[in-house]
C-alpha cells in the first residue's frame, strides 16, 4: 500500500487495473483487493495522467521491431491490443474515484462493459473496442500456436485497427 501510494509510477497503476491474485490465502486476496481498489480510486489530474499514459505507449511502440509493409502486429501496432488496453487502463485511473464500480473487473472486456454501464463510454465505442479486442486475441492465439509472432495481413482485419486508432486519437490526440 505504501509503495503504491507514494512511489509507484503511472504505468504501475495501469498494471494494477489488470492485477488479480492467483495464489495465497483468501485473507491475502481480500487485502490485495482492498489496496487495489484504494489505489485505483485515487483522484488523478486528467491531463497529467493522459500525458503519462501516452508517453509510456510511445516508448513501447518505439521498442518494437519493424515488420513487412502490409502486415499489422495485432498486439503492438497502432490500433492494436496495447492501444485498447492502455485506453481502458487510462479510463479506470481517470474515473474510478467517481465510479468505483470500474475496479470490480480486472479484465479488459469486463472493464469496457463497466464503462458502458456507468455511461462513461458510448455503447458503439464499447462494441467497437470489444469486437476488435476479441478479434485480435483470437488472431494472436492462433499465431502463437503456429509459432508465427503476432503479425497478420492488415487486410484481414476489416479496418479494425483504423477504428481503434481513431478512438485513440479522440481520447489522446495525435
Amino acid at each position: 500500500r505504501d509503495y503504491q501510494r507514494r512511489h509507484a509510477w503511472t504505468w504501475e497503476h495501469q498494471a494494477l487495473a489488470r492485477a488479480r491474485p492467483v495464489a495465497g490465502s483468501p485473507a491475502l486476496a481480500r487485502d490485495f483487493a482492498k489496496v487495489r481498489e484504494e489505489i485505483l480510486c485515487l483522484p488523478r489530474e486528467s491531463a497529467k495522467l493522459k500525458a503519462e499514459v501516452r508517453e509510456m505507449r510511445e516508448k513501447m511502440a518505439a521498442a518494437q521491431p519493424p515488420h513487412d509493409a502490409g502486415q499489422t502486429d495485432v498486439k503492438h501496432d497502432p490500433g492494436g491490443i496495447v492501444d485498447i488496453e492502455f485506453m481502458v487502463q487510462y479510463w479506470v485511473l481517470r474515473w474510478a474515484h467517481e465510479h468505483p464500480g470500474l475496479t470490480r473487473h480486472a479484465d479488459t472486456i469486463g472493464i469496457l462493459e463497466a464503462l458502458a454501464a456507468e455511461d462513461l463510454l458510448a455503447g458503439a465505442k464499447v462494441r467497437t473496442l470489444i469486437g476488435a479486442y476479441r478479434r485480435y486475441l483470437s488472431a494472436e492465439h492462433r499465431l502463437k500456436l503456429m509459432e508465427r509472432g503476432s503479425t497478420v495481413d492488415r487486410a484481414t482485419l476489416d479496418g479494425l485497427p483504423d477504428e481503434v486508432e481513431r478512438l485513440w486519437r479522440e481520447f489522446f490526440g495525435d
Side-chain angles (χ1 to χ4, degrees), residues 8-79:
W9 297 45
T10 297
W11 64 266
E12 291 173 289
H13 288 170
Q14 285 179 251
L16 199 57
R18 299 268 325 262
R20 54 190 161 269
V22 295
S25 70
L28 179 61
R30 283 190 300 275
D31 289 346
F32 172 80
K34 287 178 192 172
V35 171
R36 178 181 173 272
E37 182 176 7
E38 174 189 327
I39 300 304
L40 293 177
C41 288
L42 292 172
R44 292 168 173 85
E45 199 278 304
S46 180
K48 180 180 182 219
L49 175 64
K50 187 180 289 189
E52 290 173 345
V53 170
R54 186 177 33 226
E55 180 182 319
M56 179 54 65
R57 179 63 184 110
E58 289 167 359
K59 285 181 183 179
M60 287 180 66
Q64 293 306 307
H67 50 73
D68 294 338
Q71 295 287 302
T72 293
D73 183 322
V74 295
K75 184 163 188 159
H76 296 286
D77 277 356

Side-chain angles (χ1 to χ4, degrees), residues 37 40-43 91-105 111 114-121:
E37 182 176 7
L40 293 177
C41 288
L42 292 172
W91 292 324
V92 169
L93 295 175
R94 170 67 182 90
W95 290 321
H97 70 283
E98 296 171 335
H99 302 273
L102 297 177
T103 68
R104 291 194 183 96
H105 300 279
I111 296 169
L115 286 160
E118 296 276 348
D119 289 326
L120 296 169
L121 201 58

Side-chain angles (χ1 to χ4, degrees), residues 52-158:
E52 290 173 345
V53 170
R54 186 177 33 226
E55 180 182 319
M56 179 54 65
R57 179 63 184 110
E58 289 167 359
K59 285 181 183 179
M60 287 180 66
Q64 293 306 307
H67 50 73
D68 294 338
Q71 295 287 302
T72 293
D73 183 322
V74 295
K75 184 163 188 159
H76 296 286
D77 277 356
I81 290 170
V82 174
D83 279 0
I84 295 170
E85 290 176 346
F86 270 49
M87 283 188 279
V88 168
Q89 293 160 9
Y90 166 77
W91 292 324
V92 169
L93 295 175
R94 170 67 182 90
W95 290 321
H97 70 283
E98 296 171 335
H99 302 273
L102 297 177
T103 68
R104 291 194 183 96
H105 300 279
D107 65 289
T108 298
I109 291 174
I111 296 169
L112 282 164
E113 290 170 342
L115 286 160
E118 296 276 348
D119 289 326
L120 296 169
L121 201 58
K125 292 175 183 176
V126 168
R127 286 188 297 279
T128 295
L129 292 170
I130 288 174
Y133 194 72
R134 285 184 172 144
R135 180 89 172 264
Y136 296 160
L137 289 180
S138 177
E140 183 185 37
H141 293 156
R142 281 193 313 275
L143 291 164
K144 282 182 181 178
L145 288 171
M146 296 184 296
E147 299 179 358
R148 290 188 41 213
S150 58
T151 59
V152 298
D153 182 346
R154 188 173 178 92
T156 65
L157 296 175
D158 302 322

